[in-house]
Structure formats: structure tokens, C-alpha cells
Amino acid sequence: MERLKLVLQYFQSNSESISNGICIILALVSVKLYTSFDFNCPCLPQYNKLYSLGVMIVPPIILFFLGVLVNRHTGVMMDEWMRPTGNRSKNPAVVKYLFSAMLQRALLAPMVWILVTLLDGKIFICAFSVSVDPALFSGLPNSTGLEVIKIMAKVPCKEDVIFRNSSFRKAVSRYIRCYSQAVGWSILLFLIVLGAMGRLIKPYFDDHATGLQTRYWSNYLDVEQKLFDETCVLHARDFARKCVVQFFEDMREDAILRLPHPPFISNFQDEWEDEEEERLHGVTKQEQVDQLLNKWYYSKPELDVTRIAHRPRTCVTWKDRDGKTLYSDV
């Protein structure tokens, strides 16, 4: 249970971890879909390859675009690429980094699908059974009067009557499956070696400081957008509360019940109103909200927080009658 909590905390820590978790889930879904998929080869010379290529190519394309769709890097990258320059210049390195991260995660599920189909071998048998030379195997059924190419096209169909009590179909299937698994393991080995070599060689050709800067600002864009969205949600909630309260205040009858008003209620109400005004940030009209959102898109603030980071604060110092400092928070 503790390990499960640690895993969940990792995937909830930041958007990159969430994207990794979604991509892993998509990869597992692709495996589950393949194992649940009812693969029925048409066993016809003119359709076997077409059907096999469809099963091999179409699902990975769907999984790829699904990975692009659910990846948060996609939205951040497109926002940074398409936004007007405004007060903040664009960084092509950050866009390139986000595109690379999005592409790597989106390709995981399609590659898993392709590797699983190759290691299983059914699609290879359906696609290339016609291309195998039947002379390499003994026991070719020739009592049915069918052409050899049609007999070879029926190799994936083990229920066919022409292969009853015949070892020919099993021999051809094993032969093609060996090639399919060899191709699958070769692709997997190539990807692992490519990834390892990339990790080993990259430090020699890449500036580590530049890489840290690119990674920092890509994470900054993601965090900035999330904080802006959260602030907009809080503002919208307070703005809606104010509108509703104001509506009911306007509909209230003019009759007023005059009673003594305790001062602590007035103080509490003033504090509550001040807190509400602080959350609204002085934006209290629809035109102001539209202007704020328009300015956020067309003129992002420059990356300089010196003014708010060094704004003056009140410092308190206590002295005795002789002027000696007793306490100071300076």
C-alpha cells in the first residue's frame, strides 16, 4: 500500500510525471487491446497483406494522435509557439524541447503495439504466407485442386479443411513466426542501444547549462499557465458570488428592521469584504475581465519580478526609555 502511495505521489508531483503516467497507461492499453483483438485473417491472396498492414499501421496511428492529444506538453508548446511576442520574447529552444518531449511520449504506445504484433507473429503469418516457397516444406495438400498461391494464403486459417491432419501449415507458421520475432527483437534491441548511446554521447555535444535553462523555462511555462488558470477559477468564483449577492441585495424589500448593530459584526463584515476585494484584485467588471484576458494573451508579462520581490515591508523595533533596542525584526 505504501509503494502504491509513493507511485501515486510521483505521478501527481508535476505535469511531466502525469504525462509519463498517461503514456504508460496508453502503452498498457495498447497491449490489452491487442490481446483482446479478434484477429481473423481473410485467407485470400489479394487481401491478406492489405488486412495485415491495416492492423499493423492504423492502430499505432490512432494511439500516436491519442498520445499527442492527452499530453500536456502539446498545449504548452502550441501556446508558446503561437502566442504574440508582446513584452516577452520567444525561446525556440524551449519550443524544440517541448516538441521533443511530446514526440517521445506519444511514440511509446504505437511502438509497444508494433513490437507486440511482431513478437506474436500472427500478422506476419497472414501477410507473408503467400511469399513463402512451399518447396521448402513437405506435406503440401494438393488433392483439392486449388492453386498453390490460394493454398498458401489459407495457412493462417488453421480451421480450414485442407490442412486437417497435415503438418504443413504448422511448419510454415513456425517459419514465418521466427522471422517476425527476429524483426521484433531486433527493433527492440536497436531502440535500447539508440537510447543508451544517446544518453552517453549527449553530454559531449550538448551544453549542460543551456540544457538546464531550457528545462527550467519549459517547466516555468507549464507552472505559469496552471497558476493563471487556478487564479482565474478563484476570481470567477468570487466574481460570481458577488454578482449573486448583489442581485439578491437589489431584490430585497425596502423595509428595514432597525436594531442595535454590534460593532464586532461590522468589523467582521469589513474584514470579509476586504478579503473578497483582495481576491478580486480590483477586477470587478466584465470589460475589465475581458481586457485582462486579452492582455494576458497578447502581451505576456516580462520575466522580471524585481518590483514585487523587493517591495518595502513594515519593520517593527521596540526600544526602552533609554533608547536601547529590545527587539527588532529588521
Side-chain angles (χ1 to χ4, degrees):
M1 194 65 183
E2 293 296 328
R3 292 181 179 179
L4 180 60
K5 289 182 179 179
L6 291 175
V7 172
L8 292 176
Q9 289 175 0
Y10 167 76
F11 285 127
Q12 294 174 354
S13 58
N14 53 55
S15 295
E16 188 171 353
S17 302
I18 294 173
S19 298
N20 292 337
I22 292 175
C23 292
I24 293 173
I25 291 173
L26 280 177
L28 296 176
V29 168
S30 67
V31 176
K32 182 63 177 178
L33 284 175
Y34 181 80
T35 55
S36 304
F37 180 66
D38 189 11
F39 183 80
N40 292 313
C41 185
C43 297
L44 295 172
Q46 62 270 31
Y47 295 116
N48 279 14
K49 284 188 178 180
L50 185 63
Y51 177 79
S52 300
L53 288 175
V55 175
M56 180 73 79
I57 296 175
V58 174
I61 293 176
I62 296 174
L63 291 170
F64 172 76
F65 283 108
L66 189 60
V68 171
L69 184 65
V70 301
N71 197 327
R72 182 168 175 82
H73 287 94
T74 306
V76 178
M77 179 194 68
M78 294 304 298
D79 289 342
E80 179 64 15
W81 184 30
M82 298 298 295
R83 71 171 176 84
T85 303
N87 296 327
R88 183 189 303 178
S89 60
K90 296 183 181 181
N91 190 347
V94 173
V95 177
K96 182 180 178 181
Y97 174 84
L98 291 171
F99 177 77
S100 176
M102 178 271 294
L103 193 64
Q104 292 175 16
R105 288 166 175 80
L107 285 174
L108 177 61
M111 288 306 304
V112 169
W113 176 276
I114 293 174
L115 289 174
V116 169
T117 55
L118 290 173
L119 295 176
D120 184 57
K122 292 179 182 178
I123 293 179
F124 238 59
I125 295 172
C126 180
F128 297 104
S129 61
V130 180
S131 304
V132 176
D133 185 6
L136 298 174
F137 309 94
S138 59
L140 176 65
N142 54 5
S143 59
T144 57
L146 293 174
E147 297 178 7
V148 175
I149 190 172
K150 291 184 177 180
I151 295 176
M152 298 303 294
K154 291 181 178 294
V155 168
C157 303
K158 59 183 179 180
E159 297 87 1
D160 202 289
V161 292
I162 65 173
F163 295 116
R164 188 171 297 172
N165 301 323
S166 174
S167 60
F168 178 81
R169 190 198 68 81
K170 292 183 179 180
V172 176
S173 298
R174 282 196 301 268
Y175 178 77
I176 302 175
R177 183 175 282 112
C178 288
Y179 276 99
S180 177
Q181 292 178 348
V183 172
W185 285 114
S186 299
I187 293 176
L188 182 60
L189 177 62
F190 172 76
L191 293 175
I192 293 175
V193 172
L194 184 66
M197 294 298 294
R199 279 294 185 91
L200 293 174
I201 296 175
K202 185 179 179 181
Y204 294 99
F205 298 95
D206 192 13
D207 186 3
H208 186 64
T210 304
L212 288 176
Q213 293 173 5
T214 303
R215 186 179 178 87
Y216 175 88
W217 289 116
S218 64
N219 290 330
Y220 169 83
L221 292 175
D222 184 25
V223 174
E224 181 190 55
Q225 188 60 43
K226 288 172 63 176
L227 289 176
F228 181 77
D229 293 340
E230 292 173 1
T231 306
C232 286
V233 170
L234 293 176
H235 184 277
R237 183 180 293 112
D238 294 331
F239 193 85
R241 184 185 297 112
K242 285 283 188 180
C243 286
V244 172
V245 171
Q246 184 171 280
F247 172 78
F248 278 96
E249 289 288 339
D250 293 340
M251 296 298 293
R252 190 170 55 181
E253 294 182 358
D254 294 333
I256 300 175
L257 180 62
R258 300 188 179 276
L259 293 174
H261 191 62
F264 73 89
I265 296 181
S266 177
N267 295 335
F268 175 78
Q269 184 176 2
D270 293 340
E271 292 177 1
W272 183 78
E273 289 179 353
D274 292 340
E275 185 179 353
E276 288 285 315
E277 286 294 334
E278 183 178 354
R279 286 201 295 262
L280 287 175
H281 302 283
V283 182
T284 57
K285 294 183 180 181
Q286 181 181 359
E287 294 79 9
Q288 291 178 317
V289 174
D290 294 339
Q291 183 181 3
L292 181 144
L293 297 176
N294 188 70
K295 184 177 181 181
W296 176 261
Y297 176 74
Y298 286 102
S299 182
K300 287 283 183 72
E302 58 180 332
L303 300 175
D304 185 3
V305 295
T306 306
R307 179 173 54 84
I308 193 170
H310 296 285
R311 61 186 177 186
R313 64 186 182 90
T314 303
C315 300
V316 179
T317 301
W318 282 272
K319 297 182 180 181
D320 58 11
R321 294 180 178 179
D322 299 329
K324 184 178 180 180
T325 302
L326 301 176
Y327 171 79
S328 177
D329 62 351
V330 177

